[in-house]
Structures are given as structure tokens and as C-alpha cells.
């Protein structure tokens, strides 16, 4: 179970991966054994946590959680025992399929309608390479890194270059500050 945990000094929250455990206690109050359920951290699957967080922030609407349905169906029907590497592989294949759809179109200059999964998957690949401390965040907008209508420059980019993946980034507005996600040319958050 993927969830966001907040501590007293952490207002951003951190993604955590939990598993349900059940213990049985003998209670004098009851004539039979009583189950007690609790959650514990899954510590052997950092990649799975990152992939689930990536997919969760990519597909924010309850109507597009197809990745969760596909993953849960796989766990139920096809998973035979627990293997953190298999979990990660399955989640990565789900993400790759969505990115592959974008790549197969061959049109990388679609501007603001570039799917969020493309940016988030690149973030995942960068994290996988560096293993730096990084958290996936909800971002609600694709924006141009180099402005569409520059004020202080004589340089005007071609429409294709302006709307190319390399000039786009994911952003969100947070009350007083602009929060940048992936900015393809500079990778500011690393």
C-alpha cells in the first residue's frame, strides 16, 4: 500500500510503502484468539515505492488509475509469492507502455499536451541512475522553459523547437512559490 506520511516538521510528506501484518493474541477477555492488524514499512523495495509514487502523481484522477487496476490484477492472478524485483519490473513495464505510446507517435513537438508520464518516467530514470534523495510531487501543468514570447531577446525559436520535449517542464503553483518539476534542459531538481 502506497501512502503519503507527514511528520511534525515535514509539511511536504514522504511516500512510503506499507504491508499489512496480522498477529494473533490470546485474550483473557475473549474465549478465542483475536487478530490484530497493523502496517509495517516495506524496506526491500525502494524501486517499487518510487514507481508507484511516479504513477500515482502522474495519473491523479480516480478515472485514470488503470495502472493500479492492472498491477492489482497481476498481484491477484499472476503473482506467486512475494518478490520485490518482480513488483518493480511489472510497475516499470506499465510505465514503459505509456511512454512507448508517446515515443511510437514520433511527434515530440506537441507542446503543452505532452503526457506527464514522459516527464515523470525520465525523473525515475534519473533517480535510478543517481539514487539521490528525491520525492515525486503532484504537478498540474506542462509549461515552456524558454518563453513562447520572449520580451528581452531578439531570438525567436522555431515553433517545433519551442514546443519540443526538451523545452518543457512540469510545474505546479504552491501559494507563494512556483514549484518546478523536471525541466528537461537543466534538471533543476537534482
Amino acid at each position: 500500500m502506497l501512502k503519503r506520511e507527514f511528520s511534525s516538521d515535514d509539511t511536504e510528506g514522504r511516500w512510503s510503502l506499507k504491508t499489512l501484518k496480522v498477529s494473533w493474541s490470546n485474550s483473557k477477555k475473549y474465549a478465542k484468539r483475536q487478530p490484530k492488524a497493523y502496517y509495517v514499512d516495506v524496506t526491500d523495495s525502494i524501486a517499487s515505492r518510487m514507481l508507484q509514487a511516479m504513477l500515482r502523481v502522474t495519473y491523479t484522477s480516480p478515472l485514470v488509475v488503470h495502472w493500479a487496476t492492472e498491477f492489482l490484477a497481476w498481484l491477484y492472478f499472476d503473482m506467486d509469492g512475494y518478490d520485490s524485483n518482480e513488483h518493480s519490473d511489472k510497475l516499470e513495464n506499465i510505465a514503459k507502455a505509456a511512454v512507448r505510446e508517446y515515443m511510437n507517435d514520433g511527434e515530440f513537438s506537441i507542446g503543452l499536451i505532452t503526457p506527464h508520464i514522459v516527464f515523470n518516467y525520465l525523473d525515475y530514470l534519473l533517480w535510478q541512475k543517481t539514487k539521490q534523495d528525491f520525492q515525486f510531487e503532484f504537478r498540474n501543468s506542462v509549461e515552456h522553459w524558454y518563453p513562447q514570447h520572449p520580451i528581452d531577446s531578439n531570438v525567436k525559436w522555431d515553433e517545433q523547437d519551442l514546443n519540443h520535449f526538451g523545452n518543457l517542464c512540469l510545474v505546479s503553483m504552491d501559494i507563494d512559490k512556483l514549484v518546478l518539476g523536471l525541466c528537461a534542459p537543466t534538471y533543476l531538481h537534482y
Side-chain angles (χ1 to χ4, degrees):
M1 177 178 80
L2 181 75
K3 66 177 284 194
R4 205 69 188 252
E5 290 188 300
F6 299 90
S7 63
S8 59
D9 60 339
D10 182 15
T11 58
E12 299 293 321
R14 309 234 357 125
W15 291 106
S16 67
L17 199 56
K18 304 284 188 185
T19 188
L20 181 66
K21 295 285 184 176
V22 176
S23 65
W24 295 88
S25 62
N26 289 325
S27 173
K28 293 179 182 176
K29 192 174 178 182
Y30 302 100
K32 60 182 181 178
R33 296 178 66 195
Q34 297 295 311
K36 179 181 177 188
Y38 57 97
Y39 292 102
V40 296
D41 288 319
V42 175
T43 57
D44 66 340
S45 191
I46 297 168
S48 180
R49 183 191 72 215
M50 291 298 283
L51 286 159
Q52 287 184 54
M54 175 196 67
L55 290 164
R56 175 64 185 98
V57 302
T58 299
Y59 302 109
T60 57
S61 168
L63 301 175
V64 288
V65 289
H66 54 78
W67 71 271
T69 305
E70 183 178 341
F71 184 61
L72 290 171
W74 173 79
L75 285 172
Y76 184 76
F77 293 111
D78 299 325
M79 187 66 187
D80 198 22
Y82 174 76
D83 183 336
S84 63
N85 292 327
E86 282 187 61
H87 283 201
S88 299
D89 290 347
K90 178 61 178 175
L91 290 163
E92 193 164 337
N93 287 335
I94 291 170
K96 280 180 182 178
V99 173
R100 201 172 289 119
E101 187 177 312
Y102 167 77
M103 300 295 287
N104 286 342
D105 287 346
E107 180 55 57
F108 307 117
S109 298
I110 56 177
L112 303 180
I113 60 172
T114 300
H116 290 199
I117 186 65
V118 177
F119 297 100
N120 287 330
Y121 188 68
L122 180 56
D123 269 346
Y124 170 75
L125 293 175
L126 291 170
W127 168 82
Q128 196 176 43
K129 185 176 178 80
T130 64
K131 299 293 186 192
Q132 291 184 6
D133 186 29
F134 174 73
Q135 291 289 315
F136 281 99
E137 301 290 334
F138 290 97
R139 313 260 187 244
N140 57 6
S141 179
V142 177
E143 299 293 338
H144 290 89
W145 179 249
Y146 186 84
Q148 289 178 290
H149 307 288
I151 299 171
D152 58 351
S153 174
N154 297 348
V155 179
K156 177 87 170 139
W157 285 18
D158 291 336
E159 188 71 22
Q160 181 174 348
D161 293 336
L162 182 68
N163 290 312
H164 197 273
F165 173 71
N167 187 42
L168 301 170
C169 58
L170 285 176
V171 298
S172 65
M173 196 58 74
D174 186 9
I175 302 177
D176 297 325
K177 62 182 180 179
L178 181 67
V179 180
L180 291 176
L182 170 82
C183 289
T186 58
Y187 309 112
L188 287 180
H189 63 283
Y190 282 98

